[in-house]
Amino acid sequence: MPERVAIALLYPELLGTYGDGGNAAVLAQRLRWRNIAAEIVDVHAGEPIPRSCQIYVMGGGEDAPQALAARELRSGSILADAVDGGAAVLAVCAGLQVLGQRFAGEDGKTHDGLGLLDCETHRDDGPRRVGEVVVTPEPELGLSELTGYENHGGVTTLGPTATPLGKVVVGNGNAGGDGTEGIVNGRVVGTYLHGPVLARNPELADHLLTSVLGPLEPLDDPEVESLRKERLHAARHPHMHMPQLRSGWRRLLRGS
Ligand code: GLN
């Protein structure tokens, strides 16, 4: 166990559109709750990526900033070296696409990815995939159902060596026609789920932490459990949650 676990948040100004920086906060807090010192290292575009972090976190972003982030990352091999050295990576949506072999950017231009995940992302004529997602994780991961929301134009197809994070129950996920969501390559996890995904799915946070640090004592999360129940139910029964939402708004407006 290092004296202090360092979590790098890569390019928050480029890959921070969907609040995925919260994933770094969740990882750090779950360590502190276990009396393990943790720090979040913000890495801004143009700055060198530190080699010695234990976990690297990348979020979602719009097409142009995403292409810039990919260019920055391709200018060195630090992320690949860090993974070889035992680090873990969580990459959400634009982050997942950037870690694949190739992805389509603005105007259908194709950009090279980093090749840390065996997938590629293109655009189709379909509408943008937006909304709540529920995923059954691959059994060997030993995780409970995943909840999150998606907002993407990209369609990701997995290559022959790829293992998905899970199967879509509600929503689109990779949207490549095979019903999969996300992709896992050892300690590198890519997902389309925002939320932030680790706030909604603390077991996934602990999965990443243990992949780097070894077994950790369990934490009791009653509040998160009730939030998860509510989100999983809302995703499966959106029509039942609309009236509550509307009456919530009415109450709010009456009180103003
Ligand atoms: N720009 C990418 C797309 O639309 C990623 C979006 C995201 O990160 N939510 O597919």
Side-chain angles (χ1 to χ4, degrees):
M1 181 79 65
E3 209 172 289
R4 176 182 289 264
V5 177
I7 300 155
L9 179 60
L10 298 185
Y11 311 141
E13 66 278 55
L14 300 176
L15 300 176
T17 314
Y18 300 87
D20 299 313
N23 290 322
V26 171
L27 290 166
Q29 190 55 41
R30 292 187 75 75
L31 288 168
R32 290 177 191 137
W33 278 333
R34 293 167 164 121
N35 296 317
I36 300 169
E39 66 173 325
I40 298 173
V41 183
D42 283 354
V43 183
H44 298 285
E47 290 176 1
I49 299 177
R51 289 178 183 276
S52 53
C53 295
Q54 281 73 37
I55 307 189
Y56 296 78
V57 177
M58 301 165 67
E62 287 147 22
D63 292 354
Q66 171 180 345
L68 276 176
R71 205 174 65 196
E72 290 275 323
L73 286 165
R74 280 197 313 266
S75 65
S77 64
I78 291 172
L79 210 49
D81 294 346
V83 172
D84 283 346
V89 181
L90 173 70
V92 178
C93 198
L96 176 162
Q97 296 177 7
V98 165
L99 292 195
Q101 313 284 3
R102 272 169 297 282
F103 64 92
E106 287 180 293
D107 311 326
K109 271 190 276 175
T110 301
H111 300 263
D112 285 334
L114 294 200
L116 290 182
L117 294 172
D118 185 16
C119 62
E120 61 178 78
T121 300
H122 64 278
R123 293 297 169 110
D124 66 3
D125 299 334
R128 214 173 157 76
R129 277 79 177 175
V130 182
E132 288 287 318
V133 187
V134 177
V135 176
T136 302
E138 289 298 299
E140 55 273 25
L141 295 169
L143 300 171
S144 306
E145 223 167 25
L146 300 170
T147 150
Y149 73 88
E150 62 186 336
N151 185 341
H152 56 104
V155 169
T156 299
T157 50
L158 304 188
T161 71
T163 306
L165 177 60
K167 293 213 167 26
V168 172
V169 180
V170 176
N172 299 279
N174 296 334
D178 59 1
T180 62
E181 166 8 66
I183 171 166
V184 179
N185 179 13
R187 290 181 302 277
V188 184
V189 176
T191 177
Y192 270 104
L193 300 188
H194 300 291
V197 63
L198 299 186
R200 288 204 193 188
N201 306 282
E203 283 182 16
L204 183 59
D206 287 352
H207 172 83
L208 285 160
L209 292 170
T210 52
S211 75
V212 175
L213 304 172
L216 295 168
E217 68 185 73
L219 294 173
D220 213 10
D221 273 329
E223 268 175 280
V224 175
E225 269 321 305
S226 68
L227 172 71
R228 281 175 53 75
K229 267 201 198 113
E230 190 273 336
R231 283 295 84 200
L232 288 163
H233 191 268
R236 285 197 164 93
H237 309 282
H239 53 284
M240 288 175 66
H241 286 252
M242 287 308 284
Q244 281 174 21
L245 210 64
R246 278 202 295 273
S247 70
W249 276 109
R250 269 202 300 276
R251 262 202 316 279
L252 204 72
L253 290 170
R254 268 205 304 272
S256 65

PDB file of all heavy atoms in Angstrom, residues 119-134:
ATOM      1  N   CYS A 119     -11.662  -1.691 -29.144  1.00  0.00           N
ATOM      2  CA  CYS A 119     -12.968  -1.280 -29.666  1.00  0.00           C
ATOM      3  C   CYS A 119     -12.763  -0.104 -30.600  1.00  0.00           C
ATOM      4  O   CYS A 119     -11.699   0.512 -30.601  1.00  0.00           O
ATOM      5  CB  CYS A 119     -13.902  -0.866 -28.524  1.00  0.00           C
ATOM      6  SG  CYS A 119     -13.345   0.548 -27.570  1.00  0.00           S
ATOM      7  N   GLU A 120     -13.767   0.163 -31.438  1.00  0.00           N
ATOM      8  CA  GLU A 120     -13.724   1.407 -32.197  1.00  0.00           C
ATOM      9  C   GLU A 120     -15.102   2.025 -32.275  1.00  0.00           C
ATOM     10  O   GLU A 120     -16.116   1.326 -32.152  1.00  0.00           O
ATOM     11  CB  GLU A 120     -13.061   1.231 -33.547  1.00  0.00           C
ATOM     12  CG  GLU A 120     -13.683   0.276 -34.505  1.00  0.00           C
ATOM     13  CD  GLU A 120     -12.874   0.288 -35.808  1.00  0.00           C
ATOM     14  OE1 GLU A 120     -11.799  -0.342 -35.815  1.00  0.00           O
ATOM     15  OE2 GLU A 120     -13.335   0.929 -36.772  1.00  0.00           O
ATOM     16  N   THR A 121     -15.114   3.335 -32.443  1.00  0.00           N
ATOM     17  CA  THR A 121     -16.361   4.086 -32.342  1.00  0.00           C
ATOM     18  C   THR A 121     -16.621   4.835 -33.627  1.00  0.00           C
ATOM     19  O   THR A 121     -15.737   5.521 -34.139  1.00  0.00           O
ATOM     20  CB  THR A 121     -16.280   5.075 -31.152  1.00  0.00           C
ATOM     21  OG1 THR A 121     -16.055   4.313 -29.958  1.00  0.00           O
ATOM     22  CG2 THR A 121     -17.563   5.865 -31.008  1.00  0.00           C
ATOM     23  N   HIS A 122     -17.829   4.674 -34.165  1.00  0.00           N
ATOM     24  CA  HIS A 122     -18.206   5.418 -35.366  1.00  0.00           C
ATOM     25  C   HIS A 122     -19.530   6.137 -35.102  1.00  0.00           C
ATOM     26  O   HIS A 122     -20.089   6.052 -34.015  1.00  0.00           O
ATOM     27  CB  HIS A 122     -18.295   4.472 -36.567  1.00  0.00           C
ATOM     28  CG  HIS A 122     -19.365   3.443 -36.442  1.00  0.00           C
ATOM     29  ND1 HIS A 122     -19.199   2.266 -35.735  1.00  0.00           N
ATOM     30  CD2 HIS A 122     -20.631   3.412 -36.904  1.00  0.00           C
ATOM     31  CE1 HIS A 122     -20.306   1.557 -35.782  1.00  0.00           C
ATOM     32  NE2 HIS A 122     -21.198   2.232 -36.475  1.00  0.00           N
ATOM     33  N   ARG A 123     -20.004   6.848 -36.092  1.00  0.00           N
ATOM     34  CA  ARG A 123     -21.302   7.522 -35.992  1.00  0.00           C
ATOM     35  C   ARG A 123     -22.278   6.839 -36.923  1.00  0.00           C
ATOM     36  O   ARG A 123     -21.882   6.386 -38.004  1.00  0.00           O
ATOM     37  CB  ARG A 123     -21.171   8.996 -36.420  1.00  0.00           C
ATOM     38  CG  ARG A 123     -20.323   9.842 -35.483  1.00  0.00           C
ATOM     39  CD  ARG A 123     -21.004   9.867 -34.134  1.00  0.00           C
ATOM     40  NE  ARG A 123     -20.132  10.436 -33.131  1.00  0.00           N
ATOM     41  CZ  ARG A 123     -20.341  11.624 -32.557  1.00  0.00           C
ATOM     42  NH1 ARG A 123     -21.368  12.354 -32.904  1.00  0.00           N
ATOM     43  NH2 ARG A 123     -19.520  12.061 -31.639  1.00  0.00           N
ATOM     44  N   ASP A 124     -23.548   6.742 -36.516  1.00  0.00           N
ATOM     45  CA  ASP A 124     -24.558   6.254 -37.446  1.00  0.00           C
ATOM     46  C   ASP A 124     -25.600   7.353 -37.641  1.00  0.00           C
ATOM     47  O   ASP A 124     -25.433   8.466 -37.148  1.00  0.00           O
ATOM     48  CB  ASP A 124     -25.165   4.936 -36.958  1.00  0.00           C
ATOM     49  CG  ASP A 124     -25.960   5.094 -35.680  1.00  0.00           C
ATOM     50  OD1 ASP A 124     -26.087   6.244 -35.194  1.00  0.00           O
ATOM     51  OD2 ASP A 124     -26.463   4.089 -35.165  1.00  0.00           O
ATOM     52  N   ASP A 125     -26.675   7.036 -38.352  1.00  0.00           N
ATOM     53  CA  ASP A 125     -27.691   8.058 -38.621  1.00  0.00           C
ATOM     54  C   ASP A 125     -28.715   8.147 -37.492  1.00  0.00           C
ATOM     55  O   ASP A 125     -29.634   8.966 -37.560  1.00  0.00           O
ATOM     56  CB  ASP A 125     -28.451   7.724 -39.931  1.00  0.00           C
ATOM     57  CG  ASP A 125     -27.504   7.687 -41.112  1.00  0.00           C
ATOM     58  OD1 ASP A 125     -26.461   8.374 -41.035  1.00  0.00           O
ATOM     59  OD2 ASP A 125     -27.793   6.948 -42.094  1.00  0.00           O
ATOM     60  N   GLY A 126     -28.600   7.269 -36.521  1.00  0.00           N
ATOM     61  CA  GLY A 126     -29.597   7.223 -35.436  1.00  0.00           C
ATOM     62  C   GLY A 126     -29.527   8.469 -34.566  1.00  0.00           C
ATOM     63  O   GLY A 126     -28.580   9.253 -34.657  1.00  0.00           O
ATOM     64  N   PRO A 127     -30.572   8.644 -33.731  1.00  0.00           N
ATOM     65  CA  PRO A 127     -30.567   9.793 -32.825  1.00  0.00           C
ATOM     66  C   PRO A 127     -29.494   9.627 -31.752  1.00  0.00           C
ATOM     67  O   PRO A 127     -29.012   8.514 -31.519  1.00  0.00           O
ATOM     68  CB  PRO A 127     -31.961   9.745 -32.190  1.00  0.00           C
ATOM     69  CG  PRO A 127     -32.385   8.319 -32.308  1.00  0.00           C
ATOM     70  CD  PRO A 127     -31.711   7.751 -33.530  1.00  0.00           C
ATOM     71  N   ARG A 128     -29.129  10.728 -31.106  1.00  0.00           N
ATOM     72  CA  ARG A 128     -28.206  10.660 -29.984  1.00  0.00           C
ATOM     73  C   ARG A 128     -28.796   9.760 -28.897  1.00  0.00           C
ATOM     74  O   ARG A 128     -29.999   9.788 -28.657  1.00  0.00           O
ATOM     75  CB  ARG A 128     -28.037  12.093 -29.456  1.00  0.00           C
ATOM     76  CG  ARG A 128     -26.710  12.407 -28.927  1.00  0.00           C
ATOM     77  CD  ARG A 128     -26.535  13.855 -28.572  1.00  0.00           C
ATOM     78  NE  ARG A 128     -25.463  13.913 -27.583  1.00  0.00           N
ATOM     79  CZ  ARG A 128     -24.185  13.778 -27.881  1.00  0.00           C
ATOM     80  NH1 ARG A 128     -23.791  13.642 -29.128  1.00  0.00           N
ATOM     81  NH2 ARG A 128     -23.270  13.801 -26.925  1.00  0.00           N
ATOM     82  N   ARG A 129     -27.968   8.947 -28.278  1.00  0.00           N
ATOM     83  CA  ARG A 129     -28.467   8.035 -27.241  1.00  0.00           C
ATOM     84  C   ARG A 129     -28.428   8.775 -25.898  1.00  0.00           C
ATOM     85  O   ARG A 129     -27.337   9.075 -25.397  1.00  0.00           O
ATOM     86  CB  ARG A 129     -27.591   6.789 -27.146  1.00  0.00           C
ATOM     87  CG  ARG A 129     -27.922   5.723 -28.168  1.00  0.00           C
ATOM     88  CD  ARG A 129     -27.377   6.012 -29.515  1.00  0.00           C
ATOM     89  NE  ARG A 129     -27.655   4.924 -30.456  1.00  0.00           N
ATOM     90  CZ  ARG A 129     -27.365   4.962 -31.735  1.00  0.00           C
ATOM     91  NH1 ARG A 129     -26.792   6.030 -32.274  1.00  0.00           N
ATOM     92  NH2 ARG A 129     -27.644   3.949 -32.518  1.00  0.00           N
ATOM     93  N   VAL A 130     -29.614   9.036 -25.360  1.00  0.00           N
ATOM     94  CA  VAL A 130     -29.719   9.844 -24.137  1.00  0.00           C
ATOM     95  C   VAL A 130     -30.698   9.172 -23.185  1.00  0.00           C
ATOM     96  O   VAL A 130     -31.779   8.767 -23.624  1.00  0.00           O
ATOM     97  CB  VAL A 130     -30.256  11.272 -24.462  1.00  0.00           C
ATOM     98  CG1 VAL A 130     -30.328  12.118 -23.198  1.00  0.00           C
ATOM     99  CG2 VAL A 130     -29.375  11.959 -25.501  1.00  0.00           C
ATOM    100  N   GLY A 131     -30.353   9.063 -21.917  1.00  0.00           N
ATOM    101  CA  GLY A 131     -31.313   8.561 -20.937  1.00  0.00           C
ATOM    102  C   GLY A 131     -30.682   7.635 -19.911  1.00  0.00           C
ATOM    103  O   GLY A 131     -29.473   7.399 -19.915  1.00  0.00           O
ATOM    104  N   GLU A 132     -31.544   7.139 -19.018  1.00  0.00           N
ATOM    105  CA  GLU A 132     -31.094   6.240 -17.951  1.00  0.00           C
ATOM    106  C   GLU A 132     -30.675   4.888 -18.530  1.00  0.00           C
ATOM    107  O   GLU A 132     -31.245   4.433 -19.537  1.00  0.00           O
ATOM    108  CB  GLU A 132     -32.219   6.019 -16.939  1.00  0.00           C
ATOM    109  CG  GLU A 132     -32.514   7.211 -16.051  1.00  0.00           C
ATOM    110  CD  GLU A 132     -31.436   7.454 -15.003  1.00  0.00           C
ATOM    111  OE1 GLU A 132     -30.945   6.490 -14.399  1.00  0.00           O
ATOM    112  OE2 GLU A 132     -31.085   8.635 -14.787  1.00  0.00           O
ATOM    113  N   VAL A 133     -29.715   4.265 -17.888  1.00  0.00           N
ATOM    114  CA  VAL A 133     -29.208   2.956 -18.331  1.00  0.00           C
ATOM    115  C   VAL A 133     -29.154   2.018 -17.122  1.00  0.00           C
ATOM    116  O   VAL A 133     -28.799   2.449 -16.019  1.00  0.00           O
ATOM    117  CB  VAL A 133     -27.774   3.094 -18.913  1.00  0.00           C
ATOM    118  CG1 VAL A 133     -27.314   1.771 -19.520  1.00  0.00           C
ATOM    119  CG2 VAL A 133     -27.697   4.198 -19.955  1.00  0.00           C
ATOM    120  N   VAL A 134     -29.509   0.760 -17.359  1.00  0.00           N
ATOM    121  CA  VAL A 134     -29.288  -0.300 -16.361  1.00  0.00           C
ATOM    122  C   VAL A 134     -28.488  -1.397 -17.051  1.00  0.00           C
ATOM    123  O   VAL A 134     -28.764  -1.759 -18.194  1.00  0.00           O
ATOM    124  CB  VAL A 134     -30.630  -0.876 -15.836  1.00  0.00           C
ATOM    125  CG1 VAL A 134     -30.379  -2.022 -14.863  1.00  0.00           C
ATOM    126  CG2 VAL A 134     -31.465   0.214 -15.166  1.00  0.00           C
TER     127      VAL A 134
END
